[in-house]
Amino acid sequence: MADKATQLLLDGLGRAVADPAGLPLLAGKAAPGLFAAGAAGKQVAQRCKDEGYLRVVRTDTAGRSPVEICAITEKGLAYLLGQVSPRQVLEDFIRALEARQTQAGDLLAAARRMQETLEALKATAERVLHQVGKPSAPQAAASSNGSETWLGEALSVLARRHDAGAPDDCPLPELFRQTRASAPALTIGHFHDGLRRLLADDRVYLHPWTGPLYDLPEPPYALLVGHEIAYYASIRT
């Protein structure tokens, strides 16, 4: 059976095989590495460099102290295969490959969600700009789309939510659907205009979305207010 130092060396070389692009020579507090940052790990890491089992591919200087990124050499691979079963090395490599494929799939899915969110926000911004560019409509026209009715209903929804002790603010999609019951012709554009009016009149609070944009549900209902994306509303008491 290999001694402890040899086992640490083989474990580190096994991790290096599974990540050919290179890993930090020594593990950090939150980052994986080839060897633990303790005295034994540092000693074995230095041995690997001295023996030519590992090579430094680059030095990361983004943190407080430089971090050596190392990859296995042909000599290191030959030594590893001479000490452990090639089948074990291959199985470890396949597991690492499957994990990377899963991570790549997650990243691609996140990128697609981000793109969909950006497109939805762009469309919302274009609708807002289109409304801003229009001349002010006569009061009679404003009343014809039920604005006075749904504005009152929106305040009632928020008031009932507040009185019921709801633990969180009302998402704008939910507020839109409830208030639209009193004005079936209500559009998202009119909904956003009315919310701005209530905000200007100090009748409601509009609260921002604080999570990642790609996690934003139903982006068309989000409202751009200043430099923030409003997604929740509550009544001023």
Side-chain angles (χ1 to χ4, degrees), residues 95-153:
R95 282 193 294 270
L97 178 61
E98 292 173 346
R100 296 298 186 278
Q101 288 178 329
T102 300
Q103 293 172 358
D106 292 342
L107 289 173
L108 288 173
R112 284 193 293 268
R113 290 195 297 271
M114 174 67 79
Q115 182 63 33
E116 292 170 357
T117 299
L118 291 176
E119 290 175 355
L121 289 174
K122 181 180 177 182
T124 300
E126 289 175 348
R127 287 196 297 270
V128 171
L129 290 174
H130 181 68
Q131 292 295 326
V132 170
K134 287 184 176 181
S136 299
Q139 184 62 39
S143 299
S144 64
N145 65 29
S147 62
E148 296 302 327
T149 302
W150 82 257
L151 285 175
E153 178 60 22

Side-chain angles (χ1 to χ4, degrees), residues 167-193:
D168 51 8
D169 302 313
C170 184
L172 296 188
E174 179 181 336
L175 181 60
F176 176 81
R177 282 187 279 270
Q178 290 193 43
T179 55
R180 196 180 188 187
S182 64
L186 180 65
T187 66
I188 295 180
H190 287 134
F191 177 65
H192 286 165
D193 289 344

Side-chain angles (χ1 to χ4, degrees), residues 70-87:
C70 296
I72 196 167
T73 63
E74 291 293 334
K75 183 178 180 180
L77 180 59
Y79 175 80
L80 179 65
L81 294 177
Q83 298 295 317
V84 301
S85 167
R87 181 182 181 88

Side-chain angles (χ1 to χ4, degrees), residues 23-24 26-35 67:
L23 283 172
L26 299 174
K29 292 182 178 180
L34 298 178
F35 302 99
V67 176

Side-chain angles (χ1 to χ4, degrees), residues 196-207:
R196 288 192 178 89
R197 177 178 167 186
L198 293 175
L199 179 66
D201 292 343
D202 292 332
R203 306 289 298 279
V204 299
Y205 294 105
L206 293 180
H207 309 282

